[in-house]
Amino acid sequence: MAHINDNFTKLPGSYLFSEIGRRTAAYQEAHPEAKLIKMGIGDVTLPLAPAVVAAMHEGVDDLAAAETFHGYGPEQGYDFLRTAIAEADFRARGVEIDDDEIFVSDGAKSDCGNIGDILSLDSRVAVCDPVYPVYVDTNAMAGRAGDYDEDAQGWTNIVYMPTTAENDFCPALPEEDVDVIYLCSPNNPTGTALTFGQLKAWVDYANDHDAIIMFDAAYERFITQDDVPHSIYEIPGAKTCAIEFRSFSKTAGFTGARCGYTVVPKALVRDGASLNGLWNRRQTTKFNGASYVIQKGAAAVYTPEGARQIDEAIAHYRENARVIREGLTEAGFEVFGGVNSPYIWCKTPGGMGSWDFFNKLLEEANIITTPGAGFGPAGEGYIRFTAFGNAEATKEAMKRVQALKA
Ligand code: PLP
């Protein structure tokens, strides 16, 4: 008799966005005239840049002719894209990353979720709280998380590191030994980012403990401050302890097109094995490469024209973030993030629960947000706004928030 992977039965329901959807639909049904403004889910709204679209069209034309047709491509990604990435995202910033340390994929979610394939099942995993749920759930599926404790709202074998206003959104180094540490900067959901000094403490910890940092830099292009590293490899010593995940989703509007990449340095060695070799083996066995057409589009992000167009889109989202940050501050709320990130993390007023504040914003301002508690217990008392919407709607939302306070 076949048996299922029992770890799946331990997973709590993915409650957050379905519950938001349920509450929103119920409200809209009861108030069909209400004009709801969506500031909840972190999806982009601007279309792909024209240079990207043109490159994708070219890619389709290539596939349409026998002389230029492409079948299966390299599992690690086409050289034209790996070289462009290594050159522009790393070497141009003074970070020596080789082309064969870049693995192109269909997005950061897959890579963050799959990376555990090359790690021992008894690795002790540490995550920030609140957290992007993929890191936790994929480790739970693999059997590394232990059991889900409903009361503590967490897994018995996962080390949770609270990241709140009290510690400047930089988790304290764990007291117990941990093997794998997930860090996300700029962070989803808090919108804050780690500085060079803060990240260096983690790189030193990981090297001292032979741990590995899984560094999720999906929001890298939103960084505005000089003291925030764009890559963990800007920190000396990171190549012997860190894997970095990047995505074209939020940086270049690829949430629907799907493309990202992972950097696995050859210098990262554990148990005598290079993780670059292990990941290469994993990808060549389980993945047949990202689509040629999509990789053509992603390469256009690195052309001068493509880069300029993408910067314009980022500027649009940044301006929304500024409007939200300033609007909420003017209305008397305490806000974090939004400077190096499209997310604004707002403290709920008067210690209100984050679901109660979600309800208040939905019912009294017709704005949909994301309750912080949905990202982990330390997210209680916060609510997340996203800057991915349209400029007019964002301004209108802030007017409503200010009216709400008055
Ligand atoms: N990492 C973080 C922190 C994210 O917030 C997201 C998407 O919201 C992803 C990864 C997923 O990126 P992708 O669309 O490349 O799978």
Side-chain angles (χ1 to χ4, degrees):
M1 179 178 158
H3 294 285
I4 59 160
N5 174 350
D6 205 29
N7 296 312
F8 279 71
T9 63
K10 299 183 190 172
L11 291 165
S14 68
Y15 160 82
L16 179 61
F17 289 104
S18 57
E19 181 59 16
I20 291 172
R22 194 191 63 73
R23 291 187 191 207
T24 305
Y27 182 83
Q28 186 80 81
E29 199 179 313
H31 305 87
E33 75 298 341
K35 289 201 171 37
L36 300 181
I37 300 178
K38 293 182 188 158
M39 305 179 91
I41 293 178
D43 198 356
V44 293
T45 52
L46 293 176
L48 289 168
V52 168
V53 174
M56 287 182 181
H57 281 155
E58 250 175 53
V60 172
D61 288 342
D62 287 350
L63 299 189
E67 309 76 60
T68 49
F69 176 74
H70 284 70
Y72 288 125
E75 293 92 341
Q76 305 84 351
Y78 283 98
D79 284 346
F80 66 77
L81 180 56
R82 296 175 93 189
T83 304
I85 290 169
E87 192 54 47
D89 288 350
F90 299 97
R91 296 195 286 258
R93 305 190 67 85
V95 177
E96 270 317 307
I97 291 289
D98 294 336
D99 297 2
D100 62 359
E101 296 178 309
I102 306 284
F103 293 85
V104 176
S105 72
D106 63 353
K109 188 180 197 175
S110 320
D111 289 352
C112 290
N114 292 330
I115 197 75
D117 276 13
I118 62 170
L119 297 174
S120 161
L121 280 184
D122 58 16
S123 309
R124 189 107 169 118
V125 172
V127 297
C128 295
D129 172 17
V131 69
Y132 175 56
V134 173
Y135 318 140
V136 176
D137 288 3
T138 53
N139 276 293
M141 287 171 182
R144 279 189 203 94
D147 293 306
Y148 190 73
D149 179 345
E150 206 57 68
D151 295 333
Q153 289 179 61
W155 294 84
T156 50
N157 285 353
I158 298 258
V159 175
Y160 291 90
M161 308 181 293
T163 49
T164 58
E166 285 67 44
N167 58 13
D168 194 23
F169 297 96
C170 176
L173 298 171
E175 278 162 23
E176 55 193 300
D177 269 4
V178 296
D179 307 309
V180 182
I181 302 141
Y182 288 81
L183 295 177
C184 176
S185 177
N187 191 267
N188 177 15
T190 66
T192 54
L194 298 173
T195 62
F196 278 92
Q198 289 171 328
L199 196 52
K200 180 176 184 305
W202 277 101
V203 167
D204 292 346
Y205 173 94
N207 278 322
D208 287 349
H209 292 77
D210 286 331
I212 297 177
I213 297 174
M214 300 295 175
F215 189 71
D216 188 341
Y219 297 92
E220 174 272 336
R221 214 173 177 111
F222 289 87
I223 293 172
T224 58
Q225 289 179 322
D226 291 343
D227 60 346
V228 173
H230 288 246
S231 163
I232 194 165
Y233 305 115
E234 290 180 58
I235 312 290
K239 281 207 237 170
T240 53
C241 70
I243 291 175
E244 180 164 308
F245 304 96
R246 295 273 190 111
S247 170
F248 293 95
S249 284
K250 311 298 163 81
T251 58
F254 274 60
T255 51
R258 311 300 308 139
C259 198
Y261 67 88
T262 290
V263 187
V264 190
K266 285 172 281 194
L268 178 55
V269 174
R270 293 290 180 273
D271 297 326
S274 158
L275 272 77
N276 179 285
L278 298 186
W279 185 243
N280 191 51
R281 187 75 172 90
R282 190 268 171 212
Q283 290 296 81
T284 51
T285 302
K286 290 197 182 180
F287 183 58
N288 249 340
S291 146
Y292 171 71
V293 174
I294 298 301
Q295 291 191 63
K296 286 280 285 183
V301 167
Y302 297 101
T303 62
E305 196 191 5
R308 187 183 47 73
Q309 292 166 353
I310 276 143
D311 285 342
E312 276 170 22
I314 297 285
H316 163 86
Y317 296 136
R318 275 202 192 118
E319 172 60 12
N320 284 346
R322 186 194 63 77
V323 166
I324 298 169
R325 231 178 40 239
E326 291 180 4
L328 290 171
T329 307
E330 258 171 55
F333 294 102
E334 196 178 356
V335 298
F336 305 93
V339 176
N340 298 296
S341 156
Y343 298 123
I344 293 90
W345 194 237
C346 173
K347 217 162 173 45
T348 62
M352 194 185 245
S354 56
W355 277 106
D356 291 337
F357 192 45
F358 168 89
N359 283 342
K360 185 176 166 69
L361 287 170
L362 174 62
E363 289 163 15
E364 297 176 26
N366 293 168
I367 299 170
I368 306 162
T369 53
T370 310
F375 297 99
E380 182 52 275
Y382 294 91
I383 203 143
R384 189 188 76 173
F385 287 79
T386 79
F388 285 124
N390 139 310
E392 286 317 307
T394 302
K395 286 184 195 140
E396 166 64 21
M398 289 306 108
K399 276 195 204 136
R400 293 186 194 174
V401 167
Q402 280 160 10
L404 174 84
K405 233 348 208 165

